[in-house]
């Protein structure tokens, strides 16, 4: 087996952006999606494994989640797609709702890769919001309890429990690089290459010759 | 100091407005100034007396082999490893797509042992096709200016010094063709550099240091080769001439997207520069000594412009006009006896001269008051976060666009000239290219550099959305606009915001972007080779390694041939 490559954060982030762009075109905020995958990977939550699985399951092809308002928050039906695709929207909507109401219940349904919900916890906690996810893998659903008030009892998130380990994982990845298998690296590059234009006389002129 | 800018209000300082400063054709007239990165770096090296030694020299008589510098700084020990080789002249090219070079280099943490040297020897000469590790900070390469290199070695071997006029024509022995940092090819991330290597924790400090040592090696190599060619007669190059030798650079389109993709950073660099300018205009003394020094600096700048050698007719015309206008400005200055402040001089320049002369004048003022300007030395770093404000009502978002992005809404995208250009990445080293829309393939894969168009498209969709609804709801319905919304919301909070240019225009001149960024690097002597790439010179006039410990002077702006000194 080939030894894993060590990629810098910036290198992996750039590769992810082009991979998402190659996969999705300009229809999504692929820079934000890439940041979430990088966050998951550099905190020890296997962002790249989730991504590879999503690619294999063809669940990165698009996201047209159905949004429903509920009495205490909202529900997002992910239509069987990877939760990774819905992360930016879920965070936006939760922050929006919390700003108005102070607390929020987010129901995520018909999603795969529900463990990516930890990235929502992380993003909300970074904004001073307490968040706790309860995942029902069998049902393909998760419920996220969020509160702008630290004293309402939802501050028992996985991320908070793992805080020290996640920080150590991050530091090590920054110091030594992120281990990426050759297979994963090749797969990401293969998709990212869709954004490249074939070299030609015209393209060489486009560089200034 | 970093937070200081946030507390400076419009009432305290007279800032130039964004719609004046952020025009592309104005940014394309910026000159280097004391906070340019190579100037800051050399001040630091001299002030902190970095110990930089050629620890290992294993070179053939032709100067091929490897050299390892060991650098001891206040916070660490680093190695700079150079691999120099014979290069077939047919393989020598400034193009980023070239595959072989006269010299390849890396700056890395710690001392390099034999095992590590082997790893570097196997990878550094391959550049983009190799892999290094997170102990490496910079990877770069350079090619000889063969004509100049051979000329200088020949003269030294004869026991003579190179002719200054000949040196003025080119001004360097080697040209860098790429300088990589920030985590490329497995190297240390900027975040790691910032945390672990404080000596290089300013923008592009490590990259500039690499160029500084390439210059030193080029000077060492010509002496070394001349000595081996003619052991009995060879001379060593005079130090004054060595200082006049810089390091050449060829910069192309790769640098342009960087400025568009890092608007917070660009805003910060511009804001610091404009703050320094406003402080100089408000606080700079205008006594007789300063007036005399201004005249001397202006004379030096005119001489510098005269010595620039370029085949580019447009650049020659620009330089000639700047010289003529600066002389006229000094003539006017000499007739005035009621000037109250330097702001009177800048106002005159704004009234009677173009952007080039206005910015040349500003460059002179920066040099007149280094104590004011260098107070902002640590204010150039920023953590870039482009966060969405999900609660913002759609109506407020529209109002922000109408206010801060009016320049973008004024672009006519129904006219085909407004969309005549597209940017894409070629499979050749994945470098950016320009294409003519409708005439060349690749528009379906274009890069997201048309900020004005994306703002326009987002605005059009916003107008059809409920103004009371939140940005989060809008972004959910229109995910394709999310990236531009968070950019707009973020940049709206800054003083200078975006570069106000439509990069998709058929007539876009990316060379303005290149010169803007290069001015912040500290690069001079622009020699455009087309509208898309430029040759230039770095570190010309800068101190040598032998100057460390002897001086802390920072007076090498507007380098001119030796024997003209107005530092006193």
């Amino acid at each position: 087996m080939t030894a894993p490559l060590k990629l810098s954060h910036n290198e992996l982030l750039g590769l992810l952006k082009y991979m998402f762009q190659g996969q999705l075109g300009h229809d999504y905020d692929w820079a934000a999606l890439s940041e979430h995958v990088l966050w998951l990977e550099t905190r020890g939550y296997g962002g790249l494994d989730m991504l590879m699985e999503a690619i294999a399951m063809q669940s990165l092809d698009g996201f047209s989640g159905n949004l429903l308002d509920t009495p205490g928050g909202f529900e997002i039906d992910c239509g069987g797609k990877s939760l990774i695709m819905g992360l930016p929207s879920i965070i936006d909507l939760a922050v929006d709702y919390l700003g108005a109401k102070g607390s929020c219940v987010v129901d995520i349904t018909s999603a795969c890769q529900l463990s990516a919900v930890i990235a929502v916890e992380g993003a909300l906690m970074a904004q001073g919001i307490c968040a706790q996810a309860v995942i029902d893998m069998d049902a393909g659903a998760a419920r996220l309890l969020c509160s702008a008030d630290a004293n309402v009892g939802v501050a028992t998130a996985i991320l908070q429990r793992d805080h020290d380990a996640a920080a150590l994982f991050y530091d090590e990845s920054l110091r030594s690089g992120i281990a990426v298998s050759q297979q994963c690296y090749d797969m990401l590059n293969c998709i990212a290459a869709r954004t490249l234009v074939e070299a030609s006389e015209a393209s060489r002129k486009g560089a200034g010759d | 100091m970093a937070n200081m800018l946030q507390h400076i209000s419009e009432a305290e300082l007279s800032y130039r407005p964004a719609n004046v400063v952020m025009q592309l054709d104005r940014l394309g007239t910026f000159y280097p100034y004391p906070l340019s990165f190579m100037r800051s770096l050399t001040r630091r090296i001299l002030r902190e007396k970095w110990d930089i030694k050629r620890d290992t020299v294993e070179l053939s008589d032709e100067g091929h082999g490897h050299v390892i510098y060991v650098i001891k700084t206040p916070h660490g020990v680093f190695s700079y490893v150079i691999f120099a080789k014979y290069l077939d002249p047919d393989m020598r090219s400034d193009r980023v797509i070239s595959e072989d070079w006269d010299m390849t280099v890396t700056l890395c943490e710690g001392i390099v042992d034999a095992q590590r040297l082997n790893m570097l020897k196997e990878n550094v000469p391959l550049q983009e096709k190799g892999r290094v590790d997170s102990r490496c900070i910079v990877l770069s390469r350079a090619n000889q200016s063969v004509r100049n290199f051979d000329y200088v070695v020949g003269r030294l071997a004869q026991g003579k010094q190179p002719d200054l006029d000949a040196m003025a024509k080119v001004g360097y022995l080697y040209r860098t063709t790429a300088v990589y940092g920030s985590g490329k090819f497995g190297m240390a991330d900027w975040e790691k550099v910032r945390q672990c290597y404080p000596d290089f924790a300013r923008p592009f400090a490590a990259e500039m240091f690499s160029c500084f040592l390439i210059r030193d090696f080029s000077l060492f190599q010509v002496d070394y080769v001349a000595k081996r060619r003619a052991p009995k007669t060879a001379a060593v190059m005079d130090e004054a001439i060595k200082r006049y030798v810089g390091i050449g650079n060829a910069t192309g389109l790769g640098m342009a997207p960087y400025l568009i993709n890092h608007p917070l950073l660009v805003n910060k660099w511009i804001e610091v520069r404009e703050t320094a300018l406003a402080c100089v205009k408000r606080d700079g003394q205008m006594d007789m000594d300063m007036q005399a020094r201004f005249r001397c600096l202006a004379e030096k700048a005119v001489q510098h412009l005269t010595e620039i050698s370029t085949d580019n007719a447009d650049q020659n015309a620009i330089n000639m006009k700047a010289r003529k206008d600066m002389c006229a400005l000094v003539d006017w200055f000499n007739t005035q006896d009621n000037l109250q402040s330097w702001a009177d001089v800048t106002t005159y320049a704004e009234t009677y001269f173009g952007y080039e002369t206005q910015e040349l004048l500003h460059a002179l003022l920066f040099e007149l008051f280094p104590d004011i300007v260098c107070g902002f030395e640590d204010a150039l770093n920023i953590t870039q976060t482009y966060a969405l404000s999900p609660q913002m009502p759609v109506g407020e978002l529209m109002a922000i666009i109408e206010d801060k992005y009016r320049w973008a809404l004024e672009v006519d995208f129904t006219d085909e000239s407004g969309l005549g250009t597209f940017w894409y990445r070629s499979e050749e080293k994945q470098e950016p290219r320009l294409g003519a829309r409708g005439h060349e393939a690749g528009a379906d894969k274009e890069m997201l550099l048309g900020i004005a168009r994306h703002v326009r498209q987002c605005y059009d969709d916003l107008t059809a959305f409920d103004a009371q609804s939140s940005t989060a709801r809008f972004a959910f319905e229109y995910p394709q606009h999310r990236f531009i919304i968070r950019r707009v919301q973020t940049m709206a909070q800054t003083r200078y915001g975006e570069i106000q240019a439509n990069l998709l225009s058929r007539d876009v001149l990316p060379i303005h972007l290149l010169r803007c960024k290069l001015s912040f690097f500290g690069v001079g002597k622009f020699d455009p080779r087309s509208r898309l790439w430029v040759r230039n010179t770095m570190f010309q006039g800068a101190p040598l390694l032998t100057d460390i410990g002897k001086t802390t002077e920072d007076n090498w702006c507007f380098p001119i041939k030796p024997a003209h000194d107005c530092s006193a």
Side-chain angles (χ1 to χ4, degrees):
Chain A
M1 179 183 267
T2 316
L5 294 167
K6 288 292 189 94
L7 270 59
S8 70
H9 288 203
N10 197 33
E11 195 175 17
L12 179 57
L13 186 64
L15 180 56
L16 290 170
K17 286 178 183 175
Y18 289 125
M19 189 284 300
F20 276 117
Q21 190 183 344
Q23 183 80 4
L24 304 165
H26 292 326
D27 292 338
Y28 290 88
D29 186 350
W30 33 258
L33 292 172
S34 305
E35 294 276 4
H36 288 306
V37 174
L38 182 71
W39 188 93
L40 288 164
E41 184 63 25
T42 56
R43 269 71 178 182
Y45 295 114
L48 287 177
D49 286 344
M50 282 186 220
L51 190 64
M52 293 292 283
E53 187 183 67
I55 292 168
M57 293 190 307
Q58 298 186 316
S59 66
L60 281 185
D61 293 348
F63 181 79
S64 53
N66 194 21
L67 177 63
L68 298 169
D69 288 320
T70 59
F74 59 91
E75 177 187 325
I76 281 195
D77 180 334
C78 295
K81 298 292 184 185
S82 170
L83 179 58
I84 290 173
M85 294 295 298
L87 291 174
S89 294
I90 291 168
I91 294 162
D92 294 345
L93 292 164
V95 172
D96 179 24
Y97 197 94
L98 279 159
K101 307 286 186 184
S103 65
C104 177
V105 177
V106 182
D107 286 310
I108 301 163
T109 58
S110 298
C112 52
Q113 301 188 304
L114 284 161
S115 50
V117 77
I118 190 80
V120 180
E121 287 188 354
L124 294 177
M125 287 174 70
Q127 298 182 52
I129 296 165
C130 302
Q132 180 187 17
V134 180
I135 301 172
D136 183 344
M137 289 289 187
D138 293 337
R143 168 163 284 192
L144 192 67
L145 307 173
C146 315
S147 173
D149 183 347
N151 300 314
V152 298
V154 297
T156 54
I158 302 167
L159 181 64
Q160 191 149 345
R161 293 199 304 271
D162 293 352
H163 183 269
D164 290 347
L168 282 173
F169 202 94
Y170 175 84
D171 288 345
E172 176 59 22
S173 72
L174 191 63
R175 198 171 70 234
S176 305
I178 303 162
V180 179
S181 73
Q182 189 70 48
Q183 183 195 8
C184 176
Y185 185 71
D186 291 344
M187 172 72 82
L188 297 177
N189 268 304
C190 182
I191 300 172
R194 295 175 194 162
T195 64
L196 300 173
V197 175
E198 193 176 345
S200 65
E201 276 310 304
S203 77
R204 290 184 187 110
K205 283 182 184 162
D209 276 359
Chain B
M1 183 60 71
N3 293 327
M4 177 180 162
L5 299 182
Q6 296 170 6
H7 303 300
I8 296 175
S9 72
E10 300 283 351
E12 292 167 331
L13 280 176
S14 180
Y15 279 96
R16 295 195 294 176
N19 62 0
V20 167
V21 178
M22 301 306 277
Q23 298 293 328
L24 191 54
D25 48 355
R26 157 116 33 211
L27 296 174
T29 63
F30 277 13
Y31 283 80
Y33 81 129
L35 297 185
S36 295
F37 308 141
M38 61 183 74
R39 295 279 299 279
S40 290
L41 173 73
T42 48
R43 277 197 304 276
R44 182 173 207 162
I45 290 171
L46 295 177
R47 186 173 63 242
E48 296 176 351
K49 298 183 175 62
W50 288 15
D51 181 6
I52 306 172
K53 297 246 168 28
R54 275 177 233 105
D55 188 67
T56 303
V57 178
E58 293 196 9
L59 295 177
S60 67
D61 287 352
E62 292 75 32
H64 304 144
H66 72 267
V67 170
I68 303 176
Y69 288 73
V70 173
I71 303 107
K72 293 178 183 166
T73 65
H75 300 99
V77 176
F78 302 88
S79 295
Y80 190 72
V81 185
I82 294 177
F83 300 102
K85 57 177 278 190
Y86 168 77
L87 181 65
D88 182 336
D90 291 340
M91 298 293 290
R92 189 175 287 109
S93 166
D94 280 358
R95 293 289 309 278
V96 74
I97 57 172
S98 61
E99 301 281 349
D100 212 355
W101 306 272
D102 288 297
M103 180 202 303
T104 52
V105 301
T106 186
L107 171 67
C108 49
E109 167 201 321
I111 297 293
V112 171
D113 60 18
Q115 184 183 4
R116 186 158 175 75
L117 181 62
N118 280 336
M119 185 280 280
L120 295 174
K121 196 178 284 182
E122 286 174 6
N123 288 280
V124 171
L126 299 178
Q127 297 283 289
E128 295 93 339
K129 289 185 175 173
R131 293 290 302 176
V132 287
D133 60 28
S134 62
R135 294 174 63 198
C136 289
I137 305 167
V138 175
L139 184 72
S140 182
R141 71 284 191 117
N143 282 337
Q144 280 180 6
S145 167
V146 178
R147 188 180 44 167
N148 228 26
F149 191 91
D150 289 346
Y151 166 74
V152 171
V153 169
R155 293 284 291 184
L156 293 175
Q158 293 168 29
K160 299 173 183 170
Q161 293 298 318
D163 179 71
L164 279 175
D165 288 333
M167 296 306 295
K169 197 160 181 59
V170 178
Y172 49 79
L173 299 165
Y174 272 82
R175 265 195 303 272
T176 61
T177 64
V179 185
Y180 294 114
S182 295
K184 286 278 182 79
F185 319 117
M187 285 189 286
D189 275 297
W190 163 246
E191 184 59 23
K192 181 183 179 187
V193 172
R194 201 178 63 77
Q195 288 183 19
C196 302
Y197 312 132
D199 305 296
F200 297 111
R202 284 184 183 149
F204 294 96
E207 289 88 340
M208 294 299 105
F209 184 65
S210 176
C211 296
F212 183 63
L213 287 192
I214 289 176
R215 171 191 184 235
D216 181 79
F217 175 74
S218 73
L219 296 168
F220 168 74
Q221 196 185 30
V222 286
D223 279 345
Y224 180 95
V225 175
K227 180 73 176 168
R228 271 139 193 86
R229 188 177 293 179
K232 292 182 180 169
T233 58
V236 172
M237 196 191 298
D238 282 348
E239 294 220 321
I241 300 177
K242 282 184 174 174
R243 282 187 201 94
Y244 187 55
V245 176
I247 179 76
N249 175 256
T251 291
L253 282 180
M255 199 172 265
Y258 183 91
L259 291 185
I260 302 303
N261 290 332
H262 297 83
L264 272 178
L265 192 63
V266 172
N267 167 76
K268 174 60 77 177
W269 294 354
I270 300 285
E271 185 179 17
V272 168
R273 190 180 185 279
E274 292 299 314
T275 304
L277 178 61
C279 287
V280 164
K281 287 181 354 187
R282 186 190 63 185
D283 303 331
Q285 294 297 303
M286 200 185 224
D287 54 28
M288 296 301 283
D289 282 350
M290 278 301 169
Q291 291 186 32
R293 186 157 158 66
F294 170 71
R295 292 185 191 95
C296 189
L297 267 171
E299 186 185 342
K300 188 182 180 193
V302 168
Q303 180 65 27
H304 169 80
L305 291 170
T306 306
E307 290 180 10
I308 293 177
S309 171
T310 169
D311 298 329
N312 185 286
D314 291 342
Q315 188 64 45
N316 271 327
I318 289 168
N319 292 342
M320 190 179 296
K321 180 143 190 0
R323 279 172 6 220
K324 185 168 164 251
D325 286 353
M326 184 49 64
C327 290
L329 178 64
V330 172
D331 286 345
W332 168 83
F333 183 79
N334 289 336
T335 64
Q336 304 303 302
D337 48 19
N338 272 328
L339 293 175
Q340 301 300 309
S341 75
W342 292 102
D344 294 342
V345 184
T346 60
T347 300
Y348 180 81
E350 285 161 15
T351 307
Y352 293 101
F353 301 113
Y355 293 168
E356 186 80 24
T357 306
Q358 292 171 32
E359 297 308 329
L360 178 58
L361 170 63
H362 296 155
L364 297 179
L365 295 184
F366 288 132
E367 300 298 339
L368 274 183
F369 299 101
D371 291 346
I372 294 174
V373 176
C374 293
F376 297 99
E377 197 163 54
D378 289 320
L380 290 158
N381 278 347
I382 188 170
T383 301
Q384 297 184 78
T385 304
Y386 301 89
L388 195 88
S389 301
Q391 289 176 264
M392 182 182 285
V394 160
E396 187 179 336
L397 178 57
M398 289 177 65
I400 285 175
I401 291 175
E402 288 160 5
D403 179 26
K404 302 286 186 179
Y405 285 81
R406 177 172 298 281
W407 62 272
L409 297 179
E410 287 173 351
V411 177
D412 182 2
F413 289 109
T414 62
D415 183 329
E416 65 178 30
S417 69
L419 282 170
T421 294
F422 68 94
W423 295 66
Y424 64 94
R425 291 190 313 139
S426 166
E427 64 178 9
E428 279 182 317
K429 293 207 179 183
Q430 306 185 8
E431 283 293 311
R433 299 278 187 270
L434 285 193
R437 195 183 305 275
H439 301 282
E440 292 175 34
D444 55 324
K445 298 177 179 180
E446 72 180 300
M447 300 165 73
L448 284 182
L449 297 179
I451 299 305
R453 182 176 60 160
H454 291 295
V455 168
R456 172 87 255 174
Q457 290 170 335
C458 176
Y459 183 81
D460 288 347
D461 285 332
L462 283 166
T463 57
F465 211 77
D466 175 12
Q468 303 302 316
S469 192
S470 69
T471 293
R473 296 275 168 161
F474 177 76
F476 182 79
E477 293 294 329
Y478 294 94
Q480 70 272 30
H481 295 320
R482 189 178 185 277
F483 89 95
I484 197 71
I485 295 169
R486 57 193 176 88
R487 179 172 176 134
V488 164
Q489 290 177 326
T490 302
M491 296 312 296
Q493 298 170 49
T494 64
R495 188 183 297 276
Y496 282 101
E498 302 266 6
I499 293 173
Q500 299 185 5
N502 171 27
L503 262 64
L504 306 184
S505 167
R506 185 179 57 202
D507 304 319
V508 67
L509 287 174
I511 202 150
H512 289 322
L513 289 171
L514 307 188
R515 181 165 163 186
C516 173
K517 189 175 175 194
L518 289 169
S519 77
F520 282 103
F521 282 15
V523 169
K525 292 200 167 173
F526 298 96
D527 178 12
R529 311 303 291 181
S530 77
R531 71 180 179 128
L532 305 182
W533 72 284
V534 60
R535 280 186 181 157
N536 49 76
T537 311
M538 311 167 76
F539 287 108
Q540 191 173 28
L544 305 170
L545 293 190
T546 51
D547 292 322
I548 298 173
K550 296 177 187 168
T551 180
T552 56
E553 286 186 7
D554 175 29
N555 56 2
W556 52 283
C557 60
F558 300 108
I560 56 175
K561 283 185 275 191
H564 188 292
D565 181 9
C566 63
S567 59

